[in-house]
Amino acid sequence: MANALLAASFIDEARLRSHLGRDAGAEDDIETRLVWACNRAIVWMETRTARRLKARNHRTQVTTTTSGSTVADATSIVVASTASLKAGDDVLCVGLDVGVTVQSITSATAFVPSKKVLATIASGTIMTFGSKPLVVRVDDDRPEALYCPESPVLAANLFALYFVDGGGVRSAVPLTYMDLEEPTGRLVLNGIGGLSGPFGAGRYEFECRAGYEQPSATALGDAREWEMLCAIQLRTAEVFFTDDKQLRGRASTLTVGGTSLSGAEAMPADIESALRPFWRVGA
């Protein structure tokens, strides 16, 4: 069972525990089973919808080094420079938990991770930020619009668009010449500077933050969709938690001609119905 909550999760184990009416520490390994159910639920939801749901950054990885030693339980990390970092970036480094992201950037040389430091990080340690861009390949049809593979994406969160030619040369496409339809990620040339569609054949790389965002004091977010997805994950996690608790759960076995086939029954209809509006178009 997993013991770290996935960054893609809309809920945490405390919310699921409250939803299920369970007391903390009242059962053996209750926290581990709650985290497992949360993780299994969001993995199933993203597999079922064929898309990433919770907002996350999609950027080419960058690196920097730590400045000074960072002790366990620290809530801030000092690095050589935060110039190439963005809030929401994935962070990879020895001494950090799985799934840590940049919660906020507090200065030119410091940032706050989404989870406390697990173990001491020595001075000069290389830290890696980001993941990889989203890729769209355009064939000879030369479309009038490009669609970001994940959505929604705010114009402010479309960090860059690159065109990669057949030789692998990467060139920035000026976003000044683009109009973005935020809910769908549809991008069109707006004619400014004499540029208009269609887009040329080749590989395009979107560097952006895409997906449903939690509302906060500084961002409107996607309140309606966020609450819907929280509710769907709670219900889905409830099913997985019950399966685990009952051991047999929804598993079923069919014997035909001496051969046994094992599988799992479909998710309850209310979950499937609630999730259907979030499916990727064409999935």
Side-chain angles (χ1 to χ4, degrees):
M1 291 185 181
N3 57 6
L5 187 69
L6 294 177
S9 181
F10 288 90
I11 61 172
D12 60 18
E13 61 271 31
R15 185 164 180 181
L16 179 58
R17 186 194 318 114
S18 175
H19 173 74
L20 296 172
R22 305 276 178 164
D23 294 326
E27 306 167 59
D28 292 340
D29 299 326
I30 181 67
E31 300 304 316
T32 298
R33 290 190 286 114
L34 289 168
V35 170
W36 177 88
C38 290
N39 288 348
R40 186 68 185 87
I42 192 58
V43 168
W44 179 85
M45 288 166 62
E46 293 199 342
T47 300
R48 188 65 170 143
T49 57
R51 61 181 294 197
R52 299 175 178 95
L53 295 167
K54 188 177 178 181
R56 64 197 76 174
N57 289 8
H58 304 275
R59 303 204 305 130
T60 302
Q61 290 186 337
V62 296
T63 60
T64 188
T65 56
T66 55
S67 297
S69 178
T70 306
V71 299
D73 290 330
T75 57
S76 181
I77 300 176
V78 178
V79 294
S81 173
T82 58
S84 61
L85 279 56
K86 291 190 179 295
D89 278 348
D90 297 300
V91 187
L92 300 175
C93 183
V94 174
L96 293 180
D97 200 355
V98 175
V100 171
T101 61
V102 176
Q103 182 170 303
S104 62
I105 298 171
T106 53
S107 75
T109 57
F111 75 93
V112 176
S114 59
K115 298 180 184 179
K116 291 182 180 180
V117 174
L118 282 181
T120 298
I121 303 174
S123 179
T125 299
I126 296 175
M127 307 191 80
T128 302
F129 300 83
S131 50
K132 58 184 179 181
L134 298 170
V135 174
V136 173
R137 289 180 174 83
V138 175
D139 57 22
D140 293 335
D141 290 340
R142 296 171 60 81
E144 294 292 332
L146 290 179
Y147 282 86
C148 183
E150 300 295 341
S151 61
V153 53
L154 296 179
N157 290 337
L158 179 56
F159 308 134
L161 176 68
Y162 293 93
F163 174 75
V164 185
D165 65 20
V169 177
R170 199 170 186 243
S171 303
V173 179
L175 296 178
T176 305
Y177 306 139
M178 305 287 176
D179 285 335
L180 176 66
E181 186 179 89
E182 296 180 340
T184 63
R186 183 176 184 267
L187 195 64
V188 296
L189 292 165
N190 57 25
I192 296 177
L195 294 180
S196 59
F199 286 89
R203 172 188 171 106
Y204 293 85
E205 296 181 350
F206 285 81
E207 300 221 348
C208 63
R209 179 172 180 80
Y212 296 102
E213 198 82 63
Q214 183 176 21
S216 69
T218 57
L220 290 175
D222 304 283
R224 176 178 175 274
E225 292 84 357
W226 182 274
E227 288 305 319
M228 289 176 66
L229 288 163
C230 284
I232 294 169
Q233 189 181 356
L234 276 172
R235 177 73 175 100
T236 307
E238 174 188 335
V239 171
F240 282 116
F241 184 87
T242 304
D243 281 1
D244 181 54
K245 183 66 176 176
Q246 301 300 324
L247 298 181
R248 185 171 182 274
R250 293 169 299 122
S252 59
T253 301
L254 175 66
T255 301
V256 179
T259 301
S260 295
L261 302 174
S262 296
E265 298 172 8
M267 273 289 177
D270 62 306
I271 296 177
E272 291 280 8
S273 176
L275 193 61
R276 187 66 182 86
F278 295 98
W279 282 23
R280 182 186 295 278
V281 175

